[in-house]
Amino acid sequence: MILFFALLFVALAIAGFTAFVIFWPLTLVHVRDRHAAIAASFGAGAFLKPEALAWLLSGRYRETRDPSLTGLATPARLSLLTIIAGLVCAGLLWLLSLVMA
């Protein structure tokens, strides 16, 4: 039963990844088009750069006071948090299953 719930958490992470792949590129395009200073700090190919992901996770996009950017970055942030939480919970349940076996 524990591994079943671990698998459900992996499915949750996959759903988060799907949303992330939709909203994060849209956010990066918006940043590139309207916020040149932020885009310059990310550099080229910012999709999986740690600096860009840290900017997203920390919520620093709210500092721009751009409602369009917030509307794109908030779902990307939530989906990234969903990926992380799902994988962490799945890993913990897997470790629990090893201990209990």
Side-chain angles (χ1 to χ4, degrees):
M1 190 68 163
I2 291 174
L3 288 178
F4 172 74
F5 285 114
L7 186 59
L8 285 179
F9 282 121
V10 170
L12 181 71
I14 291 170
F17 179 74
T18 303
F20 183 76
V21 169
I22 293 169
F23 284 102
W24 184 229
L26 293 172
T27 303
L28 289 174
V29 168
H30 183 83
V31 166
R32 181 194 66 200
D33 291 347
R34 300 208 177 148
H35 303 282
I38 297 171
S41 70
F42 291 164
F47 188 76
L48 290 178
K49 282 193 174 176
E51 300 86 18
L53 294 174
W55 176 81
L56 179 66
L57 278 176
S58 67
R60 289 189 306 234
Y61 56 86
R62 292 186 207 116
E63 297 171 359
T64 62
R65 302 285 184 219
D66 182 357
S68 298
L69 178 59
T70 302
L72 289 170
T74 299
R77 180 180 185 215
L78 290 175
S79 63
L80 187 56
L81 289 172
T82 302
I83 294 168
I84 293 168
L87 292 178
V88 166
C89 289
L92 289 175
L93 285 175
W94 175 69
L95 288 175
L96 181 66
S97 74
L98 292 178
V99 170
M100 292 182 68

